[in-house]
Amino acid sequence: MTFISGRFGQFGYFDHQLRRPAWPGKTVLDFGGNAGNLLKDPNCTIEHEKYWCIDISGDAIQKGARDYPEAHFILYNRYNFEFNPGGIQGLAVPDTRQKYDFILAYSVFTHTTKAEMLELTGEFMNMLNRGGALAFTFLDPNLPDCGPEPANLRLFLQRRIRLGDGAIEAMLDRARGATWCTVANQDLYVGHESLKPYRRNEMEGYLTFYTPEFMKTIFPGAEVLAPPRDLSIHHCCILRNG
Ligand SMILES: C[S@@+](CC[C@H](N)C(=O)[O-])C[C@H]1O[C@@H](n2cnc3c(N)ncnc32)[C@H](O)[C@@H]1O
């Protein structure tokens, strides 16, 4: 069974970050949209026939297509460390023969390499209608107020790393002041993504963090927004076409 997301609230998140656009009539690509949970929101006014979801999880795509027969669910067999280690490295994005008013990606580039984020966001800019927007989320390692502990990265390491408190503190020391870092399985990579080899059946977790300042340098012209209070711990990066 491949990954099916149990997360909701994506529509409210993007509706807020994009300042409540008029969704009806707009074409939307939910990249990494899994089983289409964005459409489950009772306030969601995206028209199903104008909604496309591309994801690498076969079971999620099947479920979405079953739940929303008028929408478009497309399987994309691209390699991903965490969600599709048997997939094809660098596979091109499926051609939907469509341009979009909105391309959304919630918690997707948090689970890919930086190189993949740069490649795909560049491609998505060519898939936007004039005036369209690409909005995707990212995690700030230093988000200060997501709980009693000071940082997102600390919380994540405490949840995932099984090597004890000493190892976690050593990782946090290495990541201090970094503009970006990646946690793959039990290993921390700071400022690079040249991973050591992992066996395919041992690939379990992959999460990348970027500071908002760094995102502004790699996406000049982007609007970088903090998480809306109580809605999410994800920052948002918005790029507009024209
Ligand atoms: C953490 S889940 C988030 C799912 C969904 N956006 C949500 O908020 O419920 C990450 C999703 O991204 C998908 N994914 C990861 N890399 C992808 C890629 N290169 N292309 C398309 N989907 C991808 C995964 O299959 C998974 O469904």
Side-chain angles (χ1 to χ4, degrees):
M1 178 99 182
T2 54
F3 178 68
I4 295 202
S5 171
R7 186 201 301 261
F8 297 94
Q10 299 88 345
F11 176 77
Y13 177 89
F14 285 120
D15 191 44
H16 175 95
Q17 299 291 41
L18 290 161
R19 294 188 278 280
R20 309 208 181 287
W23 296 97
K26 299 291 183 347
T27 47
V28 176
L29 170 61
D30 189 5
F31 186 75
N34 201 261
N37 290 3
L38 190 107
L39 297 179
K40 279 230 158 62
D41 192 311
N43 297 317
C44 178
T45 50
I46 296 170
E47 293 169 15
H48 291 187
E49 62 276 18
K50 295 200 179 318
Y51 173 91
W52 278 255
C53 172
I54 294 179
D55 202 288
I56 58 179
S57 166
D59 289 305
I61 287 294
Q62 271 187 24
K63 178 173 172 10
R66 248 192 340 263
D67 291 351
Y68 303 103
E70 289 172 359
H72 315 267
F73 283 84
I74 298 144
L75 182 60
Y76 176 28
N77 187 24
R78 181 164 175 149
Y79 164 87
N80 178 271
F81 185 103
E82 178 168 349
F83 294 105
N84 196 21
I88 301 167
Q89 293 267 8
L91 185 67
V93 178
D95 181 3
T96 57
R97 297 165 188 268
Q98 190 65 42
K99 289 250 181 182
Y100 298 95
D101 297 306
F102 295 102
I103 300 180
L104 312 174
Y106 191 96
S107 191
V108 181
F109 296 126
T110 45
H111 296 276
T112 71
T113 61
K114 173 165 146 285
E116 186 170 344
M117 173 177 74
L118 292 173
E119 174 204 328
L120 293 180
T121 53
E123 211 165 305
F124 291 158
M125 291 310 287
N126 295 322
M127 291 163 59
L128 283 177
N129 282 325
R130 190 142 185 83
L134 161 64
F136 62 93
T137 73
F138 68 95
L139 291 170
D140 174 7
N142 307 312
L143 185 71
D145 57 355
C146 54
E149 288 292 334
N152 250 352
L153 180 62
R154 175 183 289 277
L155 286 178
F156 177 75
L157 293 177
Q158 284 171 339
R159 231 178 280 143
R160 284 285 181 95
I161 298 297
R162 301 184 291 266
L163 305 172
D165 290 349
I168 292 175
E169 289 308 321
M171 285 182 178
L172 287 167
D173 269 350
R174 283 176 51 219
R176 196 151 294 131
T179 52
W180 68 286
C181 63
T182 296
V183 184
N185 282 3
Q186 300 291 297
D187 304 307
L188 173 73
Y189 298 86
V190 180
H192 76 95
E193 50 200 1
S194 309
L195 304 194
K196 70 183 195 192
Y198 295 88
R199 286 208 196 91
R200 187 192 289 183
N201 61 357
E202 289 173 356
M203 292 172 162
E204 18 170 79
Y206 192 95
L207 204 66
T208 301
F209 295 82
Y210 306 96
T211 65
E213 296 71 30
F214 184 62
M215 289 299 265
K216 285 179 196 160
T217 67
I218 55 176
F219 295 106
E223 194 182 354
V224 173
L225 300 170
R229 274 204 167 271
D230 306 326
L231 266 189
S232 173
I233 58 168
H234 286 250
H235 274 66
C236 193
C237 184
I238 301 177
L239 291 154
R240 292 182 193 273
N241 179 20

Short mmCIF file of all heavy atoms in Angstrom, two decimals, residues 147-178:
data_model
loop_
_atom_site.label_atom_id
_atom_site.label_comp_id
_atom_site.label_asym_id
_atom_site.label_seq_id
_atom_site.Cartn_x
_atom_site.Cartn_y
_atom_site.Cartn_z
N GLY A 147 5.50 25.26 19.66
CA GLY A 147 5.40 24.42 20.85
C GLY A 147 6.37 24.92 21.89
O GLY A 147 6.99 25.96 21.70
N PRO A 148 6.51 24.17 22.99
CA PRO A 148 7.41 24.63 24.04
C PRO A 148 8.87 24.65 23.60
O PRO A 148 9.66 25.44 24.08
CB PRO A 148 7.19 23.62 25.17
CG PRO A 148 6.50 22.45 24.54
CD PRO A 148 5.81 22.94 23.31
N GLU A 149 9.24 23.80 22.64
CA GLU A 149 10.63 23.78 22.15
C GLU A 149 10.79 24.86 21.10
O GLU A 149 9.84 25.23 20.43
CB GLU A 149 10.96 22.42 21.56
CG GLU A 149 11.12 21.31 22.59
CD GLU A 149 12.35 21.50 23.46
OE1 GLU A 149 13.31 22.14 23.00
OE2 GLU A 149 12.33 21.01 24.58
N PRO A 150 12.02 25.35 20.92
CA PRO A 150 12.19 26.51 20.04
C PRO A 150 12.07 26.25 18.56
O PRO A 150 11.83 27.15 17.80
CB PRO A 150 13.61 26.99 20.37
CG PRO A 150 14.30 25.79 20.92
CD PRO A 150 13.26 24.96 21.58
N ALA A 151 12.26 25.06 18.09
CA ALA A 151 12.42 24.96 16.63
C ALA A 151 11.74 23.73 16.05
O ALA A 151 11.70 22.65 16.63
CB ALA A 151 13.90 24.94 16.29
N ASN A 152 11.23 23.93 14.82
CA ASN A 152 10.70 22.84 14.00
C ASN A 152 11.67 21.67 13.88
O ASN A 152 11.28 20.53 14.00
CB ASN A 152 10.51 23.38 12.58
CG ASN A 152 9.04 23.53 12.22
OD1 ASN A 152 8.18 23.09 12.97
ND2 ASN A 152 8.79 24.13 11.09
N LEU A 153 12.94 22.00 13.58
CA LEU A 153 13.92 20.94 13.37
C LEU A 153 14.08 20.11 14.64
O LEU A 153 14.13 18.88 14.58
CB LEU A 153 15.26 21.54 12.94
CG LEU A 153 16.36 20.52 12.68
CD1 LEU A 153 16.01 19.56 11.55
CD2 LEU A 153 17.70 21.21 12.36
N ARG A 154 14.14 20.78 15.79
CA ARG A 154 14.29 20.06 17.06
C ARG A 154 13.11 19.11 17.26
O ARG A 154 13.28 17.94 17.58
CB ARG A 154 14.37 21.04 18.22
CG ARG A 154 14.41 20.35 19.58
CD ARG A 154 14.44 21.35 20.71
NE ARG A 154 15.71 22.06 20.82
CZ ARG A 154 16.78 21.59 21.45
NH1 ARG A 154 16.75 20.39 22.00
NH2 ARG A 154 17.87 22.30 21.51
N LEU A 155 11.89 19.63 17.01
CA LEU A 155 10.70 18.80 17.20
C LEU A 155 10.74 17.59 16.28
O LEU A 155 10.44 16.48 16.70
CB LEU A 155 9.44 19.61 16.88
CG LEU A 155 9.03 20.64 17.91
CD1 LEU A 155 7.80 21.40 17.44
CD2 LEU A 155 8.76 19.99 19.25
N PHE A 156 11.14 17.82 15.05
CA PHE A 156 11.17 16.73 14.08
C PHE A 156 12.19 15.67 14.49
O PHE A 156 11.93 14.47 14.48
CB PHE A 156 11.46 17.26 12.68
CG PHE A 156 11.56 16.18 11.66
CD1 PHE A 156 10.42 15.54 11.20
CD2 PHE A 156 12.79 15.75 11.19
CE1 PHE A 156 10.50 14.51 10.28
CE2 PHE A 156 12.87 14.73 10.27
CZ PHE A 156 11.73 14.11 9.81
N LEU A 157 13.39 16.15 14.87
CA LEU A 157 14.44 15.19 15.26
C LEU A 157 13.99 14.39 16.49
O LEU A 157 14.21 13.18 16.57
CB LEU A 157 15.74 15.93 15.56
CG LEU A 157 16.43 16.61 14.36
CD1 LEU A 157 17.67 17.38 14.80
CD2 LEU A 157 16.81 15.59 13.29
N GLN A 158 13.35 15.07 17.43
CA GLN A 158 12.90 14.36 18.63
C GLN A 158 11.89 13.27 18.29
O GLN A 158 11.83 12.24 18.93
CB GLN A 158 12.32 15.36 19.63
CG GLN A 158 13.41 16.14 20.34
CD GLN A 158 12.88 17.28 21.18
OE1 GLN A 158 11.75 17.74 20.95
NE2 GLN A 158 13.68 17.75 22.11
N ARG A 159 11.08 13.54 17.26
CA ARG A 159 10.07 12.57 16.86
C ARG A 159 10.69 11.41 16.07
O ARG A 159 10.28 10.28 16.21
CB ARG A 159 9.03 13.27 15.99
CG ARG A 159 7.61 13.00 16.47
CD ARG A 159 6.60 13.74 15.63
NE ARG A 159 6.48 15.13 16.00
CZ ARG A 159 6.28 16.12 15.12
NH1 ARG A 159 6.24 15.88 13.84
NH2 ARG A 159 6.14 17.34 15.54
N ARG A 160 11.67 11.70 15.24
CA ARG A 160 12.14 10.71 14.27
C ARG A 160 13.45 10.00 14.62
O ARG A 160 13.65 8.86 14.27
CB ARG A 160 12.35 11.37 12.91
CG ARG A 160 11.10 11.66 12.14
CD ARG A 160 10.54 10.37 11.52
NE ARG A 160 9.33 10.67 10.76
CZ ARG A 160 9.32 10.88 9.44
NH1 ARG A 160 10.43 10.82 8.76
NH2 ARG A 160 8.19 11.13 8.83
N ILE A 161 14.37 10.73 15.29
CA ILE A 161 15.71 10.16 15.45
C ILE A 161 15.72 9.24 16.68
O ILE A 161 15.30 9.63 17.78
CB ILE A 161 16.76 11.30 15.57
CG1 ILE A 161 16.78 12.13 14.29
CG2 ILE A 161 18.15 10.75 15.89
CD1 ILE A 161 17.18 11.41 13.02
N ARG A 162 16.24 8.02 16.45
CA ARG A 162 16.20 7.01 17.51
C ARG A 162 17.57 6.82 18.16
O ARG A 162 17.84 5.80 18.75
CB ARG A 162 15.74 5.67 16.91
CG ARG A 162 14.36 5.74 16.26
CD ARG A 162 13.92 4.38 15.77
NE ARG A 162 14.70 3.92 14.63
CZ ARG A 162 14.33 4.10 13.36
NH1 ARG A 162 13.19 4.69 13.08
NH2 ARG A 162 15.09 3.67 12.37
N LEU A 163 18.44 7.85 18.04
CA LEU A 163 19.82 7.67 18.49
C LEU A 163 20.09 8.28 19.87
O LEU A 163 21.21 8.32 20.32
CB LEU A 163 20.78 8.28 17.46
CG LEU A 163 20.63 7.77 16.03
CD1 LEU A 163 21.47 8.58 15.07
CD2 LEU A 163 21.01 6.30 15.94
N GLY A 164 19.05 8.82 20.52
CA GLY A 164 19.24 9.38 21.86
C GLY A 164 19.44 10.89 21.84
O GLY A 164 19.75 11.48 20.80
N ASP A 165 19.28 11.49 23.05
CA ASP A 165 19.30 12.97 23.16
C ASP A 165 20.64 13.56 22.75
O ASP A 165 20.71 14.64 22.17
CB ASP A 165 19.00 13.38 24.60
CG ASP A 165 17.54 13.10 24.94
OD1 ASP A 165 16.77 12.79 23.99
OD2 ASP A 165 17.19 13.17 26.14
N GLY A 166 21.75 12.85 23.09
CA GLY A 166 23.09 13.38 22.77
C GLY A 166 23.25 13.56 21.26
O GLY A 166 23.74 14.59 20.79
N ALA A 167 22.78 12.56 20.50
CA ALA A 167 22.91 12.62 19.04
C ALA A 167 22.05 13.75 18.49
O ALA A 167 22.46 14.47 17.56
CB ALA A 167 22.49 11.29 18.41
N ILE A 168 20.89 13.94 19.07
CA ILE A 168 19.99 15.02 18.59
C ILE A 168 20.64 16.38 18.85
O ILE A 168 20.66 17.25 17.97
CB ILE A 168 18.60 14.90 19.25
CG1 ILE A 168 17.91 13.64 18.74
CG2 ILE A 168 17.76 16.15 18.99
CD1 ILE A 168 16.58 13.33 19.39
N GLU A 169 21.20 16.55 20.05
CA GLU A 169 21.84 17.85 20.35
C GLU A 169 23.04 18.08 19.41
O GLU A 169 23.26 19.20 18.96
CB GLU A 169 22.31 17.89 21.81
CG GLU A 169 21.17 17.99 22.83
CD GLU A 169 20.17 19.13 22.56
OE1 GLU A 169 20.59 20.23 22.16
OE2 GLU A 169 18.97 18.91 22.74
N ALA A 170 23.78 17.02 19.10
CA ALA A 170 24.92 17.17 18.19
C ALA A 170 24.44 17.57 16.79
O ALA A 170 25.05 18.42 16.13
CB ALA A 170 25.71 15.85 18.12
N MET A 171 23.33 17.00 16.37
CA MET A 171 22.77 17.37 15.04
C MET A 171 22.32 18.83 15.07
O MET A 171 22.55 19.57 14.12
CB MET A 171 21.58 16.47 14.70
CG MET A 171 21.96 15.08 14.29
SD MET A 171 20.48 14.14 13.85
CE MET A 171 21.21 12.60 13.37
N LEU A 172 21.66 19.22 16.15
CA LEU A 172 21.18 20.61 16.22
C LEU A 172 22.36 21.58 16.22
O LEU A 172 22.29 22.65 15.60
CB LEU A 172 20.31 20.81 17.47
CG LEU A 172 18.92 20.16 17.37
CD1 LEU A 172 18.24 20.12 18.72
CD2 LEU A 172 18.06 20.91 16.36
N ASP A 173 23.45 21.18 16.85
CA ASP A 173 24.67 22.03 16.83
C ASP A 173 25.16 22.20 15.40
O ASP A 173 25.52 23.29 14.98
CB ASP A 173 25.79 21.36 17.64
CG ASP A 173 25.74 21.82 19.07
OD1 ASP A 173 24.99 22.76 19.37
OD2 ASP A 173 26.46 21.21 19.90
N ARG A 174 25.17 21.07 14.66
CA ARG A 174 25.65 21.14 13.26
C ARG A 174 24.73 21.99 12.41
O ARG A 174 25.17 22.64 11.46
CB ARG A 174 25.73 19.73 12.67
CG ARG A 174 26.96 18.96 13.16
CD ARG A 174 26.94 17.53 12.62
NE ARG A 174 26.72 17.48 11.20
CZ ARG A 174 25.97 16.57 10.57
NH1 ARG A 174 25.38 15.62 11.24
NH2 ARG A 174 25.85 16.61 9.27
N ALA A 175 23.44 21.99 12.72
CA ALA A 175 22.48 22.72 11.87
C ALA A 175 22.33 24.19 12.27
O ALA A 175 21.72 24.96 11.54
CB ALA A 175 21.11 22.04 11.94
N ARG A 176 22.91 24.54 13.43
CA ARG A 176 22.74 25.92 13.91
C ARG A 176 23.28 26.92 12.88
O ARG A 176 24.40 26.78 12.40
CB ARG A 176 23.45 26.09 15.25
CG ARG A 176 23.02 27.30 16.00
CD ARG A 176 23.14 27.14 17.51
NE ARG A 176 22.21 26.14 18.04
CZ ARG A 176 22.55 25.15 18.88
NH1 ARG A 176 23.79 25.01 19.27
NH2 ARG A 176 21.64 24.30 19.31
N GLY A 177 22.44 27.88 12.51
CA GLY A 177 22.87 28.92 11.57
C GLY A 177 22.80 28.49 10.11
O GLY A 177 23.09 29.29 9.21
N ALA A 178 22.42 27.22 9.86
CA ALA A 178 22.38 26.74 8.46
C ALA A 178 21.19 27.37 7.74
O ALA A 178 20.15 27.64 8.33
CB ALA A 178 22.25 25.22 8.42
#
